[in-house]
Structure formats: C-alpha cells, structure tokens
Amino acid sequence: MRLIDADEMVLIESEAYMEAQLKVGELTRKVNEVVHMKFLRLIADTPTAEIAPQWIPCKDRYPDEDVVVLAYTVNTDNQRIEIVVAYWNNEEGWWLNFRDENLSDYYLDVTHWMPLPEPPVERKDGERK
C-alpha cells in the first residue's frame, strides 16, 4: 500500500491551476488586443456619413452677411420656384451672386436658404468625388 501526501497533491494542483489561470489571462489579453486592433481598423476604413445641408427657413434666421448660399425662391404669385446662388445683405436683402442684382428686382421672395455643399475633392486618379 502506497501513502499519498494530500497536502503535496493540493500544492501541485494549486500551482497547476495558477499556471493555467496565468496562461488563460495572457491568451485573453492577446485576443482582446487583436479584436481591439481589428475594430480600430474597421472604424478607420468605414466611410463617414455626410450630413446633407438642410433648408433653413428665413423666418427662423438669415445667413451671415455676404456669405454665398443656395436660396429657395418663389415669385410673388407663387407660380415659379427657383433655387439660386445668392447672398444676404443686412441693409439691402437678398442678392444674386453672379449678377450682383437684387432679387426683389425679379419679384422673387426667398423663403429658405442653405449653406453651399463642399466642393468636389480631386482624388489621386484624377477623378472627382
């Protein structure tokens, strides 16, 4: 009959358990690091959503003075609607950007405006996006 040292077995099992826990902890840390790096790459490679400019009612506010914007116009009898490039002048009202003519000369009322979109960006291959 062979005697078993129970205290020695507990010590060996405890050491083996601690070693296994350290390996699991290290493996978990490495997996988390890899997942984190892949997540960061995914975020970097994902195109950002662009928020389209919204029409702003003139009754709410006007653009900054002399800033070129898109202006939504209707003629005085509401029969003709146009979108024009214009700017606001605090003393004289709305002006057509390309002619420097007051929009009231055309019997047009601006009801809404929005900032101009960003200009196209030329890519390395020569195309614009």
Short mmCIF file of all heavy atoms in Angstrom, two decimals, residues 17 37 47 65 70 78 83 86 90 96-98 102 105 109-110 112 120 122 125:
data_model
loop_
_atom_site.label_atom_id
_atom_site.label_comp_id
_atom_site.label_asym_id
_atom_site.label_seq_id
_atom_site.Cartn_x
_atom_site.Cartn_y
_atom_site.Cartn_z
N TYR A 17 -3.10 24.97 -11.36
CA TYR A 17 -4.26 25.84 -11.57
C TYR A 17 -3.82 27.28 -11.77
O TYR A 17 -4.29 27.96 -12.69
CB TYR A 17 -5.22 25.73 -10.37
CG TYR A 17 -6.41 26.65 -10.47
CD1 TYR A 17 -7.48 26.32 -11.30
CD2 TYR A 17 -6.46 27.85 -9.75
CE1 TYR A 17 -8.57 27.16 -11.41
CE2 TYR A 17 -7.54 28.70 -9.86
CZ TYR A 17 -8.60 28.35 -10.68
OH TYR A 17 -9.67 29.19 -10.79
N MET A 37 -7.63 45.93 -32.16
CA MET A 37 -6.94 46.45 -33.35
C MET A 37 -7.81 46.28 -34.60
O MET A 37 -7.88 47.17 -35.44
CB MET A 37 -5.59 45.75 -33.54
CG MET A 37 -4.58 46.09 -32.45
SD MET A 37 -4.31 47.86 -32.23
CE MET A 37 -3.54 48.27 -33.78
N PRO A 47 -16.38 54.56 -44.28
CA PRO A 47 -16.59 55.95 -44.68
C PRO A 47 -17.56 56.64 -43.72
O PRO A 47 -18.49 56.01 -43.21
CB PRO A 47 -17.20 55.83 -46.09
CG PRO A 47 -17.67 54.44 -46.21
CD PRO A 47 -16.92 53.60 -45.22
N GLU A 65 -23.97 87.77 -43.11
CA GLU A 65 -23.95 88.74 -44.20
C GLU A 65 -22.84 88.43 -45.20
O GLU A 65 -21.71 88.09 -44.81
CB GLU A 65 -23.77 90.15 -43.63
CG GLU A 65 -23.93 91.23 -44.67
CD GLU A 65 -24.01 92.62 -44.05
OE1 GLU A 65 -23.43 92.83 -42.99
OE2 GLU A 65 -24.65 93.47 -44.67
N LEU A 70 -27.27 78.78 -51.12
CA LEU A 70 -28.37 78.44 -52.03
C LEU A 70 -29.63 79.07 -51.46
O LEU A 70 -29.89 78.97 -50.26
CB LEU A 70 -28.55 76.93 -52.14
CG LEU A 70 -27.43 76.16 -52.81
CD1 LEU A 70 -27.75 74.66 -52.81
CD2 LEU A 70 -27.22 76.64 -54.23
N ASN A 78 -46.48 82.97 -56.45
CA ASN A 78 -46.23 81.55 -56.12
C ASN A 78 -46.33 80.61 -57.32
O ASN A 78 -46.63 79.44 -57.18
CB ASN A 78 -47.19 81.07 -55.02
CG ASN A 78 -46.86 81.68 -53.69
OD1 ASN A 78 -45.69 81.93 -53.39
ND2 ASN A 78 -47.86 81.97 -52.90
N ILE A 83 -34.19 77.81 -57.45
CA ILE A 83 -33.10 77.76 -56.49
C ILE A 83 -31.94 78.50 -57.12
O ILE A 83 -31.52 78.17 -58.23
CB ILE A 83 -32.72 76.30 -56.15
CG1 ILE A 83 -33.90 75.61 -55.49
CG2 ILE A 83 -31.48 76.26 -55.27
CD1 ILE A 83 -33.70 74.14 -55.24
N ALA A 86 -27.07 82.91 -54.04
CA ALA A 86 -27.29 84.30 -53.64
C ALA A 86 -26.55 84.57 -52.32
O ALA A 86 -25.95 83.66 -51.75
CB ALA A 86 -28.79 84.55 -53.45
N ASN A 90 -27.53 92.69 -44.92
CA ASN A 90 -28.42 93.15 -43.85
C ASN A 90 -29.18 94.42 -44.20
O ASN A 90 -30.28 94.63 -43.71
CB ASN A 90 -27.62 93.37 -42.56
CG ASN A 90 -27.17 92.07 -41.94
OD1 ASN A 90 -27.77 91.02 -42.16
ND2 ASN A 90 -26.11 92.12 -41.17
N LEU A 96 -28.44 88.28 -56.04
CA LEU A 96 -27.93 87.19 -56.88
C LEU A 96 -26.41 87.25 -56.86
O LEU A 96 -25.82 88.32 -57.04
CB LEU A 96 -28.41 87.34 -58.32
CG LEU A 96 -29.85 86.94 -58.59
CD1 LEU A 96 -30.24 87.32 -60.02
CD2 LEU A 96 -30.05 85.45 -58.38
N ASN A 97 -25.78 86.14 -56.69
CA ASN A 97 -24.32 86.12 -56.57
C ASN A 97 -23.63 86.43 -57.88
O ASN A 97 -22.66 87.16 -57.92
CB ASN A 97 -23.87 84.77 -56.04
CG ASN A 97 -22.39 84.75 -55.76
OD1 ASN A 97 -21.87 85.63 -55.10
ND2 ASN A 97 -21.70 83.76 -56.28
N PHE A 98 -24.12 85.89 -58.99
CA PHE A 98 -23.37 86.03 -60.24
C PHE A 98 -23.67 87.33 -60.98
O PHE A 98 -22.96 87.69 -61.90
CB PHE A 98 -23.62 84.83 -61.16
CG PHE A 98 -25.05 84.67 -61.58
CD1 PHE A 98 -25.51 85.22 -62.76
CD2 PHE A 98 -25.95 83.96 -60.79
CE1 PHE A 98 -26.83 85.07 -63.14
CE2 PHE A 98 -27.26 83.80 -61.17
CZ PHE A 98 -27.71 84.36 -62.35
N ASN A 102 -30.36 92.70 -57.12
CA ASN A 102 -31.25 92.44 -56.01
C ASN A 102 -32.38 91.51 -56.47
O ASN A 102 -32.97 91.73 -57.52
CB ASN A 102 -31.82 93.75 -55.46
CG ASN A 102 -32.47 93.57 -54.13
OD1 ASN A 102 -33.48 92.88 -54.03
ND2 ASN A 102 -31.91 94.18 -53.11
N ASP A 105 -35.81 92.73 -57.58
CA ASP A 105 -35.99 93.23 -58.95
C ASP A 105 -36.68 92.19 -59.82
O ASP A 105 -37.26 92.51 -60.84
CB ASP A 105 -34.64 93.60 -59.58
CG ASP A 105 -34.00 94.80 -58.88
OD1 ASP A 105 -34.71 95.51 -58.14
OD2 ASP A 105 -32.78 94.99 -59.07
N ASP A 109 -39.27 86.12 -53.86
CA ASP A 109 -39.13 86.12 -52.40
C ASP A 109 -38.36 84.88 -52.00
O ASP A 109 -38.69 83.76 -52.42
CB ASP A 109 -40.51 86.08 -51.73
CG ASP A 109 -41.31 87.35 -51.96
OD1 ASP A 109 -40.69 88.43 -51.99
OD2 ASP A 109 -42.54 87.24 -52.10
N VAL A 110 -37.33 85.05 -51.20
CA VAL A 110 -36.57 83.92 -50.69
C VAL A 110 -37.27 83.44 -49.43
O VAL A 110 -37.48 84.21 -48.49
CB VAL A 110 -35.11 84.31 -50.39
CG1 VAL A 110 -34.35 83.14 -49.77
CG2 VAL A 110 -34.41 84.79 -51.66
N HIS A 112 -36.41 80.13 -48.04
CA HIS A 112 -35.47 79.26 -47.34
C HIS A 112 -34.08 79.42 -47.94
O HIS A 112 -33.94 79.87 -49.08
CB HIS A 112 -35.88 77.78 -47.48
CG HIS A 112 -37.18 77.45 -46.84
ND1 HIS A 112 -38.39 77.83 -47.36
CD2 HIS A 112 -37.45 76.76 -45.70
CE1 HIS A 112 -39.36 77.40 -46.58
NE2 HIS A 112 -38.82 76.74 -45.56
N PRO A 120 -16.21 69.49 -54.80
CA PRO A 120 -15.67 68.14 -55.00
C PRO A 120 -14.18 68.10 -54.67
O PRO A 120 -13.47 69.09 -54.81
CB PRO A 120 -15.88 67.86 -56.50
CG PRO A 120 -16.51 69.06 -57.07
CD PRO A 120 -16.69 70.09 -56.01
N GLU A 122 -10.61 66.36 -55.54
CA GLU A 122 -9.96 65.60 -56.60
C GLU A 122 -9.14 64.47 -55.98
O GLU A 122 -8.35 64.68 -55.08
CB GLU A 122 -9.06 66.51 -57.43
CG GLU A 122 -8.59 65.83 -58.69
CD GLU A 122 -8.22 66.82 -59.77
OE1 GLU A 122 -8.74 67.92 -59.80
OE2 GLU A 122 -7.39 66.43 -60.61
N ASP A 125 -6.42 59.63 -58.64
CA ASP A 125 -6.57 59.12 -60.01
C ASP A 125 -7.14 60.16 -60.96
O ASP A 125 -7.44 59.87 -62.10
CB ASP A 125 -7.42 57.85 -60.02
CG ASP A 125 -8.83 58.07 -59.47
OD1 ASP A 125 -9.22 59.24 -59.23
OD2 ASP A 125 -9.55 57.08 -59.29
#
